[in-house]
Amino acid sequence: MLIPYGWTKALAEAFVPFAAEGLVPARVVIQHRARFVLMGAEGEFSAETAGRFLHNTSTTGLPVVGDWVAVAYKSSDSVSTIHAVLPRRSQFVRKAAGVVDKPQVVAANFDVVLLTTGLDTDFNLRRIERYLTAAWGTGAQPVVVLTKADLVENVAEMVAQVEAVALGAPVLAVSAPTGLGLERLRTFLTPGTTAVMLGMSGVGKSTLVNALAGEARQAVGEVRATDGRGRHTTTHRELVLLPGGALLLDTPGMRELGLWDPGEANAQTFEDVEALARECRFRDCSHVAEPGCAVQAALRSGALAPERLESYRKLDREGAFISRKEDPAASVAHRKLWASKAKTERRRRRAEEEG
């Protein structure tokens, strides 16, 4: 049962020290608050984290759905216990809801990130940019999945709008009820591949999971006609083995996505803005009023939309804020940088006034 769920030779080699302790490997397939459902060599079984492991491990190191874990297996009615998490090859980390400075790992060990958003009333390019930044930060390949394509007429135009901001990520328009686009989506769900599905509530993730699984695996809820938002019909994270051999990791819809340390991922999402910035006359150009600013020139010519630049700046500020909280030295450097920029701007304005 382990091989269909992604067990590899590399994982077997990494597990050797745990096997010497009498532990067995398993993958987390369902995550509840304090209990997990694992898939092991003998099939599914329940487990909870061992007390010592829970006490000695940071919150980001605790098991999440998709993790491979080392388990003290109990075949009787006793609950098995998780004693370690194997190193992750990818993970999706966000800012914990309602908490300013704490990260939360949502899912682990996936190859593809399916960013789902509806083409109906909740279509939002700026939100797509935010999700793309989160996806690039995982180390996996993002794929933008535009659901509810049967509910709009200008699908091609909307796809083109997304392609203009989703640089490096394929963009698919799909309709679960009609089957439109599902075959192309399945080309990213090859045997042995794990894909994680992320998106807002009400974008049709549960309906899409059911269509790909060929059965009603997830409950489907109604959405409000006013804004297209829905309730959380998926209440837990679950790893689903699809008929074609791929694994689909479904997560509850998110009301908001707080980024955690976007860093280089933001630069990848906004590769066009970064490329323009490299053409500016000054290395520390703030892209506001400096002479020789390629970003401002692109704005004036219409090559760069003001909304995209503002989105880039907003996500960059979020990343800088997290970095300063994590690293005091970064905070000092940030203050010095902006003090220097302010001084340069004052000198420029003084020179214009005197001239």
Side-chain angles (χ1 to χ4, degrees):
M1 290 301 297
L2 292 180
I3 293 177
Y5 279 83
W7 186 250
T8 63
K9 182 179 179 181
L11 285 168
E13 292 175 353
F15 197 81
V16 169
F18 302 110
E21 298 177 13
L23 303 176
V24 299
R27 194 170 192 187
V28 180
V29 294
I30 298 178
Q31 180 183 355
H32 297 290
R33 288 185 179 276
R35 187 69 64 92
F36 303 87
V37 177
L38 309 182
M39 179 61 69
E42 304 299 324
E44 284 190 358
F45 62 97
S46 296
E48 59 187 24
T49 50
R52 179 177 296 180
F53 175 56
L54 184 64
H55 178 73
N56 294 332
T57 305
S58 67
T59 55
T60 55
L62 295 175
V64 297
V65 66
D67 266 328
W68 285 98
V69 294
V71 187
Y73 177 68
K74 304 291 184 181
S75 57
S76 63
D77 293 336
S78 301
V79 178
S80 300
T81 51
I82 299 171
H83 289 259
V85 173
L86 271 66
R88 297 162 176 157
R89 71 174 187 273
S90 60
Q91 61 180 7
F92 170 52
V93 185
R94 68 172 184 179
K95 184 176 74 67
V99 180
V100 174
D101 57 354
K102 286 189 178 181
Q104 177 191 24
V105 181
V106 175
N109 298 317
F110 44 83
D111 310 285
V112 178
V113 183
L114 302 180
L115 302 176
T116 56
T117 189
L119 284 173
D120 53 354
T121 56
D122 206 33
F123 181 70
N124 188 310
L125 290 175
R126 306 289 78 84
R127 185 184 301 123
I128 291 171
E129 289 168 341
R130 172 174 286 271
Y131 271 83
L132 278 166
T133 297
W136 285 120
T138 68
Q141 170 64 52
V143 176
V144 182
V145 182
L146 305 175
T147 61
K148 306 183 182 182
D150 56 312
L151 301 182
V152 296
E153 296 182 357
N154 55 336
V155 174
E157 178 183 336
M158 298 177 81
V159 168
Q161 291 179 39
V162 177
E163 288 177 336
V165 302
L167 307 178
V171 180
L172 317 179
V174 305
S175 168
T178 67
L180 173 69
L182 294 188
E183 284 307 310
R184 188 182 174 199
L185 177 56
R186 288 190 178 99
T187 63
F188 296 94
L189 302 173
T190 56
T193 296
T194 298
V196 61
M197 187 176 291
L198 304 175
M200 300 284 289
S201 301
V203 300
K205 293 195 298 90
S206 297
T207 303
L208 187 56
V209 170
N210 292 341
L212 293 171
E215 60 179 345
R217 292 293 301 253
Q218 302 290 1
V220 178
E222 298 293 331
V223 298
R224 295 191 296 264
T226 53
D227 60 6
R229 298 292 180 88
R231 295 179 294 106
H232 294 287
T233 53
T234 302
T235 57
H236 59 266
R237 304 179 185 112
E238 180 174 359
L239 188 64
V240 178
L241 180 60
L242 299 178
L247 293 151
L248 184 58
L249 203 163
D250 190 21
T251 62
M254 289 179 277
R255 296 297 185 189
E256 61 177 347
L257 173 60
L259 297 179
W260 184 261
D261 193 17
E264 294 181 3
N266 195 43
Q268 194 159 3
T269 300
F270 295 92
E271 186 180 342
D272 52 340
V273 180
E274 291 281 321
L276 288 169
R278 288 193 290 271
E279 299 299 319
C280 292
R281 181 185 301 178
F282 303 109
R283 174 180 288 185
D284 61 347
C285 183
S286 64
H287 318 307
V288 176
E290 293 90 340
C293 176
V295 174
Q296 286 296 320
L299 286 175
R300 290 191 295 270
S301 70
L304 178 65
E307 298 84 3
R308 182 158 173 80
L309 177 60
E310 178 54 33
S311 182
Y312 166 77
R313 285 172 168 163
K314 179 180 179 181
L315 297 181
D316 195 49
R317 288 194 298 267
E318 288 186 34
F321 175 76
I322 293 295
S323 296
R324 293 196 301 273
K325 289 189 72 68
E326 292 290 296
D327 183 2
S331 179
V332 173
H334 176 81
R335 289 197 299 272
K336 289 182 177 179
L337 172 63
W338 283 100
S340 175
K341 289 184 176 182
K343 183 182 295 185
T344 300
E345 179 63 11
R346 287 195 299 271
R347 288 175 177 172
R348 185 189 66 80
R349 291 178 178 175
R350 190 181 302 118
E352 288 181 350
E353 293 171 356
E354 294 175 352

